Amino acid sequence: DVSVTLTDPNGNMIRTVRPNSPQSSGTYTIEWNGRTDAGTVVAVEGDYTVTLTALDPVSGMSYRRLGTVVVYK
């Protein structure tokens, strides 16, 4: 299972871009439109943290990777 979430500069989780769901191996692109789960445009400028979490169903191991998106208005 794979999930991708975004957290604002204040540490609030503001968007689930990809819910926890099965994903085959490969290369993927994920786009974010600058909106929260509520559909509003993010209000805070700064560094947003992108968290990708993947669970290997065979080994049961969990993997987590972090990235940054910078928002300027």
Side-chain angles (χ1 to χ4, degrees):
D1 290 352
V2 175
S3 69
V4 178
T5 59
L6 282 113
T7 306
D8 71 14
N10 298 319
N12 302 305
M13 204 277 289
I14 53 103
R15 181 75 188 260
T16 300
V17 180
R18 178 175 179 76
N20 199 23
S21 57
Q23 179 82 45
S24 59
S25 62
T27 302
Y28 295 88
T29 300
I30 294 176
E31 294 183 22
W32 174 49
N33 62 2
R35 296 184 179 273
T36 68
D37 279 337
T40 59
V41 175
V42 294
V44 179
E45 288 187 346
D47 295 347
Y48 284 70
T49 302
V50 180
T51 304
L52 181 139
T53 306
L55 176 64
D56 183 332
V58 176
S59 69
M61 298 211 37
S62 180
Y63 303 90
R64 185 173 156 180
R65 296 293 181 260
L66 302 177
T68 302
V69 175
V70 179
V71 173
Y72 292 104
K73 291 186 167 195

